[in-house]
Structures are given as C-alpha cells and as structure tokens.
Amino acid sequence: MLEIILSIIIVLSAILALIQKDLLKAAILTGFSAAALAALFQVLLAPDVALTQAIVGAAIVPVFIALAVKKTQRSDG
Amino acid sequence: MIMVQIVILMTSAALIVIGLYSAIFIDNIIKKIIGISFIEEGVNLFIVTLGYKAGGVVPILMPGMDPAWFAANAAAPLPFGLVLTSIVIGASTLAVMLALVMVLYRRYHTLSTKVMLADTSKREEYDE
Amino acid sequence: MKLYDQIFNVVKQFRKLFSPGPVTNADVSGSITAEIFLIVSLVLSAILLRHVSILLAGLVTLILAIVLISNIPLIPKFKIEQEDSLEKMLFYAVVTLALIATFMYWGGNLV
Amino acid sequence: MNELIPLMVIVPLIAALLISTISRFNTVTKVFTFVVALCLPLIPILSNYGLHYFGGYEPMLDTVSGVIYHPAITYSFTFLQQIFIGAVGLLTFLVVFIYLTKYKKVSGPYLFLLFLGTAAVTAMMLTDDIFHMFVFFEILALAQVGIVAASSIDYSYEMALKYMVLGSIGSPIMLLGIGFLLALTGSVNVTDIAVAVHNGLVDVTSPVFLLSLALIFFGWLYASGLPPFHTIKSGIYSKAEPHGAALLQSFTVISMISIVMIMFRIYASLPIFEVLIVFFSILAMILGVSLALTQTDFRRMIGFLAVGELGFIGLGIGLGTNFSITAGLFQALNEIIITALLFIGFGAIVNATNEVDTRKLGGLLAYHPKVAIMLLIAGLAMAGVPPLSGFQSKLMLVQASLSCGFPEISILAIMVSIATFVVFVKTYYTMFLKPKPNDLNLEGKEVPKAMIFAMAVLLIIVVLLGIFPDMATGGISNFVGGIL
C-alpha cells in the first residue's frame, strides 16, 4: 500500500512541477518528487540509494534549480 | 507479492514518458531540463526494482545473521551500486546544463527554447 | 521542356539556401551534385529491398524515383528539416527512439 | 608488464586533476603537461597484452554449470586496444602541444577537459564491463561539452547546451537497455553476458532482449553521431577550437567502435542487429555527404564529412564477416588520423585569416603552400585515392560487401567516396585556387609551427598506413577472429 501512495506522489508532483507557471514552485515540487522517490527506494530495500537520492535529489538539485531561477527569471513566459 | 514490482515498473514507465513528453512539448528551457531529468529518475527506479526481493532483507550483513539465510533472503546489491553512480552523474549533468542556461540567459533575456536554442547557422550575418 | 524549366527553377531556388551573401557557381554546382547524389543514392538503397522481396523492391524503387524526381529541388527541404534548432533535433531523436523500440519489440523476429 | 594496463586510464585522470590544481604556476604546468602528454602514446606501446582484474578478483569457475564468472571490473588489452589507444594518445599529445605553443598563459580547466576526455575513451576502449563503459561514456559527454563551451567561437554555448540536452535523453535510454540486460542475465560483464546468450540461458527471441538491443542501439546512435544525431555532432565539431575538434572526432570514433564491439559480442546472433546497423550507416553516409555539399562554413563541412565517413565504419561492422569487420575497424583508425589532419589544417587557415566562410576566401595557395599541400593529400586520403590509407580501407569495404552479396552497397560506397571527393575539391578550389578577394587581408599572419609539425606527423602515418596496411590489418583480423 505504501508503495502505491508513494508512486502516486512521485508521478503527480512530477506532472505538477511541469505545469507550474512559477519556476520556483516547480523546483520545490521536483524536490518533493525526489523525496518520495527516496522513500520508495527505502521500501525497495535499498537504504544506501535512498540516502543518496534524498541528499542529491531532494536537497541539492532543487537548490541548483532555484539558483538558476534566481539568476534568470521566475515566471515561465 | 508481484504487485509491488508492477506498480513500481508502471511508475518508472510513467516518469520516462513524462520526460520524453516534456522534451518535445515544453518550451521553457528550465522546465524542459527538469522534465528530462525525470527520465533519469525513472531509469534509476527501474534498475533498483531489479534488485528488489519480495519479503527480503536489506543487503547488509549484520552480526548474528546466518550467512546462508542472508544469501537466500537479501536483495541483490549490484543494481543498487549502479544506481548510486547514476544518481550522481544525473545531478552533475543537470548542474552543467543549468549553468549553461544561466550564461545564455544573459545574452537572450528569455528562457524560451525557440529563441535561445534556435538555428544559429543563418544568424551569422554576412557582413561585407 | 517542362523538366528543363523545372531544373532551371531549381537553380534559382538554391539562391535562398545561401542567403544572406552571394551565391558562387561552386556552391550552386555543389548543390546540384547533392541533389543528384541524394536521388540516386536513395533509389539505389531502395534496391536493397530485393533481399526481402523482388516485387516489393521493384515497386518501391519505381515509386521512390518518380516521387523524388517530381519533387526537385529536394535539398532546400532536406536542409530545413536538418537545421540546428533544438526543437527539430529533439523531435527527430524521440521519433527515432519510438520507431526503433516499436519495430524491435513487435518486429524484431521477422527478419 | 601488465601493470601498465590500468595506468593508461589512471595517468591522464591524475594528470587532469593535478593540472587543474597547479595551473597557477604557468611554467610548471606547461612542463608537466608536456611530459604527461608525451607518456600517453608511449604507455600502450610499452605494455604487454593481457587482462587486468581490478581489486585482484580472479574469475571464478562455477563447478555446477562449468561457466566462468568475472566478479571484478576487467580490462582487456589486445592489439586492437593498443592501436586505438596509441592513436588517441598520439593525437592528444599533438593537440596539447599545439595548445601549449599557441597560448602564453595556459588554462588549467581546458587541459583538464582534454585529459579527462582521453582517460574516458581509453577506459571505454579497455573495459569489459558494460556499466563501467556507461559511466565513462557520461564522463566523456561532460568533457566534450566542456571542450565545446571553452572555445571562443560564436554560439558555442548554445551548441554545448543542445548537445547536453540531447545527451540527457540518449544516455538514460542506454542505461535502461543495460538494465534490461542486467535483468535478463544478472551480470554486467560483457563476457558473462555473451556466454549466457550463446549457451541459450537467455531467450534471444524474447521481446525484452530485443528491446534491450533497441535501447542500447539508440544510445550508440547518440554516441557516434549517426542520424538523427548527425546535425548536433557536426555542430559541435564546428563550434570547438580546431585542435579541440580534432580530438573530439577521435573521441566520437573510439566511443562508436567500443560500444559497437560490445553490442556485436552480445547481439551478433540476431540478424536484425546487422540490418539496423547497415540501415543507419547508409542513412549517415547519404545525409552526411549531401549536407556537406551544401555548406559554406568549411568547419561545418568537415563535420558533416566526418559523420558521413562514420557510415563506412558502421557498414563494415554491419556486414558481419571477419573481412568486413577488419575493414571497418581499419577505416576507423584511418578516419581518426585523416579527420584530425583535416581539422588541424583547416584550423590553421582559420588562425591565419579569421574567416570561416568559403565565399570570402581565395588565393591562399600562394600564402600558405605547406598547409595547402598537406591538406590536399589529406583530402585525397579521405576520398580514397591510392596509395593513401583511406584507399586501402575503402577498397577492403567494397570487396567485403561484394563478397557478402550486396553489390548495391559497393556501388553506394564508391558513390559516397566520389561525392566526398567533390566536396573536398570544391572547398579546396574556393579556398586555395580561386583568385584572392580584394578585401581579404593576409599580410603578416603566419600559421603556427606546431600545427605544421602536427600535420606532418599525421601525414607520415597516413602514407605509411597506405603503403603498409598489413601493419594494422593483420592484428585487427586476428582480434576479430577471436570474437567471432
């Protein structure tokens, strides 16, 4: 059951990230998707991968995107 | 218990399809890059699923475990090792792409792919 | 006489390929070579279908030759489809991926 | 001296890291870079053939099934690896030499990228582990993007970003294919996978196996720049500095043959594999050469020609006989040398004139006769004029396709050679022989001596391989006989 909920969160937040007009929200939703993915890795008996994914996907990548958004423009237009 | 794997394979397929869709149809370059990074995540999820064993244990040999029982019940660690490398590669690729976008934004002042990454061969003006 | 006029128009249309800037005779002759090379090589590679079926090869070669020759100039059209814009590159890449995967999954054993 | 095998990768990697840290000290960096670059072609020549197991994990014999498993990442070093690593090492040395003499103040990051790329292709060539190859393939893509972005040519950043975006589709798809193979065989070692396929442990007609071929094949198309990636590949060649482009095309050729040899060992029993390779090779030949004919930017023209020549390599491997694969690999070796020579030569012209449009050039023969003559010989070699090396490999390819029962492919190959010749002669005429335009200022601009030296070295190899093709073909033929 847990994996189904996590899967729905991953796919839903991925789609939501791509239809946002605000790029900062898209960055946060990407991190959300990656965090759910990390939890899913833990369910799949891969704690080491989950740890890496949580750090890289849910923390570093959204920060990179947010930095890029800050240096460019925030709205998609 | 095969259901878990089916759900997860569908998730990874959905992520790959989302990525391929965004590669063609999304115009904003940052969102396009985010979308393409979902392909990588979907593939990672797929490879992790290969190592999964229903009702198994984490592949770390704790003191007090019987090695024979552990070998029969632990998840396969090889795919996990591959995915670790792949996650880091994906993050570094994304960082390089975003850096290039930041540089290019200073020249074009837009994030539209149609403007920023259009055909450049005709743009080199023929100056007499 | 109609074909002659058509070929003459082809040369005029090549001018657009090299704009902005002058068109030299070397460039135009290169483009005409490319035009002929493209038609001949595509028709020639269609003959390779004879290893599948001789009738099919004959049919495809004939149709391809007629379609290609009646549609000259081909090179401007070809070049527009293969320019440097990311959209076109991504489109062709994804379409190729879809075609290869579909073809292999359902038709990989037919050959 | 089997210990030298891992050093072929480690030396450029460590050198790359060291150079980027010590780049504040200009003279030290220059001397160190020169010494390391000189070592690169020497290590593969001195090393013995053999296998190297990382971590010392020897292959294990499964006593039940009688199959040998390889637990370690294995590097195998044979004649084929020796000749290609030697070629790319020599090229790296020449490119670094040109770079060091061109600029007074060297840039640490740029040298880092050059050595990183060399280390990556060397590892791809040596490795027997499909995931290891994938990792270095990604590193190579990053290094290529860096080399393109570091150039001062207009629109190089755009081209680098385009290449990267396409790459971030191509490489995960390839990883997915590797994942399918892992699911089927439980191994990432190519030898183990090949043994499993040949022993019938894997159902070769199953859709999953076929799909894994399709996905890895797509990654290969991206790596080698065959259609639909021919535009971006020729684009990055034209946007890199000329000496960088010379190295980039050798990276492309080597990653192409290393991936295709791995695919060949796994999928050779499927007839569809050969059909796919031949189809895309013919497409690359036709599109590459016909687009090269219409270009006015001569760097872009060489880029398209290089893509068209890649079709010959694919053709040789796709025909699938011992003779044709030998011809394809020999063609790959020739292409590395000849295309590098062309890129360096035309780069020298860019250096001397600051102009890339053929319409604005002319009459250069009187000003740069040495470059003109060496470029002429290189162009003739690429078009396949005897007694140069391109002629030998193309003749072998034509004979191979005739003996396989495909006379159409022979005719096509000859036509492509003729069209290549037309492209070259047209460009050569407009650049060197046509009267000089009045507004072209050529006074006081010299071609760097280092470029002429590099061209001369490459030219000697072209002529030597043309007169004595047995130096390379004999060993390659033995290698191919081993994997068939």
Side-chain angles (χ1 to χ4, degrees):
Chain A
M1 200 57 211
L2 183 60
E3 60 274 355
I4 296 177
I5 297 169
L6 286 172
S7 299
I8 291 171
I9 293 175
I10 293 168
V11 176
L12 213 62
S13 52
I15 293 172
L16 279 176
L18 293 180
I19 60 175
Q20 287 298 321
K21 281 278 167 211
D22 186 352
L23 289 176
L24 212 54
K25 279 184 193 160
I28 293 165
L29 281 166
T30 314
F32 208 66
S33 167
L37 192 62
L40 193 57
F41 285 152
Q42 175 65 37
V43 174
L44 290 173
L45 303 178
D48 44 352
V49 182
L51 210 61
T52 317
Q53 173 73 22
I55 295 168
V56 172
I60 297 178
V61 166
V63 169
F64 278 161
I65 297 170
L67 270 178
V69 171
K70 188 167 176 291
K71 290 272 180 194
T72 56
Q73 67 184 30
R74 193 169 159 176
S75 70
D76 166 19
Chain B
M1 285 310 282
I2 202 77
M3 234 220 22
V4 178
Q5 276 143 350
I6 287 179
V7 168
I8 289 169
L9 288 184
M10 279 167 67
T11 314
S12 72
L15 282 174
I16 293 171
V17 170
I18 289 171
L20 290 179
Y21 173 87
S22 69
I24 296 185
F25 291 105
I26 287 185
D27 187 44
N28 185 301
I29 184 73
I30 290 188
K31 279 211 281 191
K32 192 178 256 209
I33 289 171
I34 294 175
I36 288 173
S37 73
F38 287 139
I39 301 179
E40 181 96 30
E41 292 192 353
V43 173
N44 288 343
L45 187 56
F46 169 74
I47 294 181
V48 167
T49 322
L50 299 179
Y52 177 67
K53 189 174 272 180
V57 294
V58 170
I60 300 169
L61 184 58
M62 294 294 187
M65 278 186 183
D66 176 21
W69 177 87
F70 176 77
N73 279 297
L78 174 64
F80 301 165
L82 306 188
V83 170
L84 281 183
T85 321
S86 166
I87 287 173
V88 179
I89 291 173
S92 54
T93 312
L94 188 118
V96 173
M97 281 197 282
L98 288 175
L100 285 172
V101 168
M102 282 191 246
V103 173
L104 286 179
Y105 183 80
R106 272 186 236 147
R107 190 181 301 159
Y108 293 98
H109 301 289
T110 174
L111 288 176
S112 169
T113 316
K114 287 197 182 80
V115 180
M116 190 190 265
L117 297 175
D119 183 19
T120 50
S121 57
K122 289 273 176 202
R123 217 186 287 162
E124 286 147 21
E125 278 122 43
Y126 189 91
D127 43 328
E128 287 296 330
Chain C
M1 214 49 201
K2 195 158 172 281
L3 191 67
Y4 176 79
D5 287 342
Q6 206 178 353
I7 292 172
F8 195 69
N9 279 331
V10 167
V11 175
K12 282 184 179 167
Q13 289 200 26
F14 280 146
R15 194 173 293 175
K16 280 182 212 149
L17 265 183
F18 298 102
S19 69
V23 186
T24 60
N25 53 2
D27 289 329
V28 172
S29 55
S31 300
I32 295 175
T33 316
E35 189 83 32
I36 296 166
F37 173 75
L38 196 65
I39 294 172
V40 176
S41 55
L42 284 176
V43 170
L44 198 64
S45 32
I47 299 179
L48 274 175
L49 280 173
R50 77 192 165 90
H51 295 280
V52 182
S53 147
I54 291 182
L55 189 66
L56 184 71
L59 219 63
V60 169
T61 310
L62 212 60
I63 292 173
L64 198 66
I66 291 170
V67 168
L68 288 180
I69 291 176
S70 59
N71 268 322
I72 49 175
L74 297 165
I75 285 290
K77 295 168 197 164
F78 250 67
K79 242 187 136 178
I80 286 170
E81 285 310 306
Q82 297 172 68
E83 59 176 27
D84 282 354
S85 80
L86 182 70
E87 283 173 88
K88 287 203 168 118
M89 290 180 188
L90 276 175
F91 175 75
Y92 282 108
V94 176
V95 165
T96 312
L97 171 64
L99 283 181
I100 294 178
T102 318
F103 176 65
M104 291 298 284
Y105 192 85
W106 279 286
N109 287 320
L110 297 181
V111 178
Chain D
M1 287 206 289
N2 274 349
E3 297 78 19
L4 285 179
I5 293 172
L7 280 188
M8 287 172 219
V9 182
I10 292 168
V11 166
L13 263 184
I14 298 278
L17 295 173
L18 275 180
I19 286 165
S20 61
T21 46
I22 62 169
S23 62
R24 279 184 298 131
F25 312 106
N26 203 13
T27 323
V28 180
T29 316
K30 274 192 169 179
V31 172
F32 180 69
T33 312
F34 185 79
V35 171
V36 173
L38 195 58
C39 286
L40 287 180
L42 292 180
I43 299 173
I45 294 173
L46 292 176
S47 175
N48 289 345
Y49 302 148
L51 297 169
H52 183 268
Y53 306 106
F54 273 88
Y57 296 105
E58 300 279 326
M60 295 187 297
L61 180 68
D62 185 353
T63 44
V64 182
S65 57
V67 179
I68 297 171
Y69 291 105
H70 296 78
I73 290 172
T74 310
Y75 276 3
S76 84
F77 184 69
T78 61
F79 180 75
L80 185 78
Q81 276 86 8
Q82 184 178 36
I83 194 161
F84 278 104
I85 294 171
V88 79
L90 178 68
L91 213 53
T92 312
F93 167 67
L94 293 175
V95 167
V96 166
F97 182 59
I98 291 172
Y99 179 79
L100 289 180
T101 49
K102 187 177 174 187
Y103 296 100
K104 282 219 160 54
K105 177 91 183 73
V106 295
S107 143
Y110 190 70
L111 288 169
F112 169 78
L113 291 167
L114 293 181
F115 280 115
L116 193 67
T118 307
V121 285
T122 310
M124 282 177 75
M125 196 72 212
L126 282 172
T127 186
D128 199 25
D129 181 295
I130 195 164
F131 186 77
H132 193 79
M133 185 209 71
F134 171 78
V135 172
F136 276 102
F137 173 60
E138 287 273 18
I139 294 173
L140 177 65
L142 284 172
Q144 282 175 324
V145 167
I147 292 173
V148 176
S151 82
S152 55
I153 298 169
D154 291 346
Y155 304 114
S156 65
Y157 282 113
E158 283 90 338
M159 202 55 90
L161 183 56
K162 284 172 197 169
Y163 186 68
M164 196 114 219
V165 171
L166 282 168
S168 57
I169 291 182
S171 11
I173 295 295
M174 188 170 168
L175 183 60
L176 189 64
I178 294 172
F180 278 4
L181 270 184
L182 179 64
L184 283 171
T185 59
S187 172
V188 285
N189 188 286
V190 180
T191 312
D192 289 356
I193 296 173
V195 166
V197 171
H198 289 294
N199 289 352
L201 297 174
V202 177
D203 179 12
V204 290
T205 59
S206 75
V208 179
F209 190 66
L210 291 169
L211 202 54
S212 76
L213 167 57
L215 298 173
I216 297 181
F217 189 83
F218 184 77
W220 178 66
L221 289 183
Y222 160 68
S224 55
L226 298 183
F229 297 105
H230 58 297
T231 45
I232 186 68
K233 240 350 173 202
S234 57
I236 66 163
Y237 294 158
S238 69
K239 296 299 175 206
E241 296 277 346
H243 49 269
L247 205 54
L248 282 181
Q249 60 86 23
S250 77
F251 292 168
T252 306
V253 174
I254 292 194
S255 56
M256 173 182 187
I257 57 168
S258 58
I259 300 175
V260 85
M261 286 330 277
I262 286 177
M263 289 204 301
F264 189 84
R265 283 162 65 191
I266 298 172
Y267 298 106
S269 54
L270 289 174
I272 185 82
F273 170 64
E274 290 160 5
V275 175
L276 266 182
I277 289 194
V278 169
F279 177 78
F280 277 96
S281 304
I282 288 177
L283 210 59
M285 277 153 59
I286 294 173
L287 291 182
V289 173
S290 61
L291 284 171
L293 274 166
T294 62
Q295 297 298 321
T296 49
D297 176 350
F298 58 81
R299 286 174 312 187
R300 196 64 194 263
M301 181 210 81
I302 312 258
F304 273 119
L305 271 190
V307 171
E309 296 292 302
L310 287 176
F312 281 97
I313 307 171
L315 206 59
I317 290 160
L319 289 173
T321 61
N322 187 333
F323 188 62
S324 74
I325 297 175
T326 309
L329 293 174
F330 186 42
Q331 165 74 17
L333 181 65
N334 291 336
E335 195 191 329
I336 290 176
I337 309 282
I338 295 170
T339 319
L341 178 46
L342 284 179
F343 270 120
I344 293 174
F346 281 109
I349 299 296
V350 180
N351 231 333
T353 61
N354 279 327
E355 192 53 70
V356 295
D357 196 324
T358 48
R359 289 172 290 182
K360 292 190 228 167
L361 290 169
L364 290 168
L365 184 64
Y367 293 86
H368 303 295
K370 280 184 211 153
V371 178
I373 287 169
M374 286 197 270
L375 270 180
L376 180 66
I377 297 174
L380 295 181
M382 190 178 221
V385 173
L388 302 163
S389 62
F391 165 73
Q392 300 287 357
S393 56
K394 287 190 176 175
L395 181 68
M396 283 171 78
L397 273 169
V398 169
Q399 284 174 343
S401 56
L402 272 180
S403 62
C404 289
F406 297 107
E408 305 93 331
I409 294 182
S410 306
I411 299 171
L412 199 66
I414 294 169
M415 269 177 52
V416 173
S417 296
I418 295 170
T420 310
F421 190 70
V422 173
V423 178
F424 186 76
V425 167
K426 166 178 159 280
T427 315
Y428 196 80
Y429 165 73
T430 49
M431 286 173 67
F432 289 97
L433 305 177
K434 180 178 84 174
K436 185 170 90 70
N438 289 331
D439 51 352
L440 184 67
N441 184 18
L442 289 172
E443 297 305 323
K445 285 172 181 167
E446 281 301 308
V447 172
K449 289 256 186 333
M451 278 188 163
I452 295 186
F453 168 73
M455 287 172 76
V457 171
L458 294 173
L459 198 64
I460 289 169
I461 299 176
V462 168
V463 174
L464 272 183
L465 278 177
I467 298 173
F468 308 107
D470 296 342
M471 284 195 305
T473 52
I476 295 176
S477 180
N478 284 339
F479 170 82
V480 175
I483 63 166
L484 273 178

